[in-house]
Amino acid sequence: MKRLGIDIDSETLRLALTHRSYAYENGGIPTNERLEFLGDSILGFSIAEYLYQTFPDLPEGDLAKRRAAIVSTRALAIIARDLGVGEHILLGRGEAQSNGADKASILADTMESLIGATYLVQGMDAARSLVLRFVAPLLQDSRLLGATTDWKTAIQEDVASKKLGEMHYQVTGTGPDHARSYEAVLVIADQAYGVGHGPSKKEAEQEAARNTWLQIHPGEQIPLG
């Protein structure tokens, strides 16, 4: 994991990358869940401190929404995918065959365990630096804005209030069962709007709903949730 820019000894790094499915199949060896717990706390504190110092005029509610957005499963999965973390995660056979290396929850948990491992090996300053280097920039990432918003509900309410017509999702899946990917198109009154992609129907539909909201509200500020 040279892309992290942190020196972590091989034993600690292996632990940080050991998913419980792999541990179960290999005699109940230790998993990365304790490191994940530690990393989650460090992540939350580091981002809260960063937001407090960076946005001195924002009220508590807005700070909380921004923190929720950039410590979310989606945010951490974005970072993990950008870094290629998935290819290094130790997974059990079943999880590996079901494309676990690209599941947002597994990627996010592994990022937290890597933050925890960084803290154990290099200390708090290094762990905080890691968080700020990879997580804080997501405040400006278009893939993440509104990450805590339920876009399917938001667009459904929007379509209803504007009386735009009936809406539904057209979803298609491609690839083998163990590595399925989906494309969703949101159709309103027989007109195609936003398109979304993801490893699950739910994620593809959420992205399609978000992209539809952007089409209907060009130039407007994205809700934070």
Side-chain angles (χ1 to χ4, degrees):
M1 291 304 300
K2 293 181 179 179
R3 294 181 186 179
L4 287 177
I6 297 291
D7 290 326
I8 302 175
D9 63 271
S10 58
E11 183 178 352
T12 304
L13 180 60
R14 183 178 178 84
L15 177 61
L17 296 170
T18 301
H19 186 259
R20 63 178 176 271
S21 62
Y22 181 89
Y24 176 78
E25 290 184 6
N26 288 270
I29 62 176
T31 76
N32 63 3
E33 291 178 348
R34 283 172 55 85
L35 283 177
E36 174 196 333
F37 167 79
L38 185 60
D40 176 68
S41 298
I42 295 165
L43 172 65
F45 171 77
S46 298
I47 291 300
E49 181 184 52
Y50 171 80
L51 292 171
Y52 182 85
Q53 294 176 348
T54 305
F55 302 100
D57 298 324
L58 279 184
E60 181 273 339
D62 287 343
L63 292 173
K65 288 178 180 179
R66 281 165 171 77
R67 180 182 61 186
I70 58 178
V71 303
S72 65
T73 294
R74 185 180 181 192
L76 294 174
I78 285 173
I79 298 169
R81 289 189 180 110
D82 287 348
L83 291 172
V85 169
E87 62 190 85
H88 300 286
I89 301 174
L90 300 175
L91 297 167
R93 289 186 296 275
E95 198 66 73
Q97 291 173 357
S98 63
N99 202 28
D102 194 48
K103 287 183 180 177
S105 59
I106 292 177
L107 290 170
D109 290 347
T110 305
M111 278 307 305
E112 288 180 339
S113 68
L114 287 168
I115 293 169
T118 300
Y119 168 78
L120 286 183
V121 174
Q122 298 287 345
M124 186 62 188
D125 287 345
R128 184 190 289 110
S129 176
L130 177 67
V131 169
L132 297 183
R133 185 151 37 94
F134 291 111
V135 181
L138 290 180
L139 280 168
Q140 309 300 325
D141 195 313
S142 62
R143 295 171 295 177
L144 185 63
L145 293 175
T148 58
T149 299
D150 180 354
W151 288 106
K152 290 183 66 174
T153 298
I155 198 65
Q156 185 174 356
E157 293 174 349
D158 207 27
V159 168
S161 67
K162 290 181 169 61
K163 299 181 179 179
L164 298 179
E166 295 294 323
M167 57 170 279
H168 67 277
Y169 295 89
Q170 293 179 345
V171 182
T172 55
T174 58
D177 291 341
H178 67 273
R180 202 79 167 155
S181 62
Y182 295 89
E183 177 182 275
V185 180
L186 179 51
V187 178
I188 305 173
D190 296 326
Q191 180 178 343
Y193 281 80
V195 179
H197 299 87
S200 69
K201 292 180 181 179
K202 179 179 179 180
E203 290 183 60
E205 289 176 352
Q206 280 285 347
E207 185 175 292
R210 176 187 183 277
N211 290 333
T212 299
W213 191 97
L214 293 173
Q215 290 181 16
I216 295 175
H217 300 270
E220 293 187 26
Q221 182 176 358
I222 295 176
L224 288 174

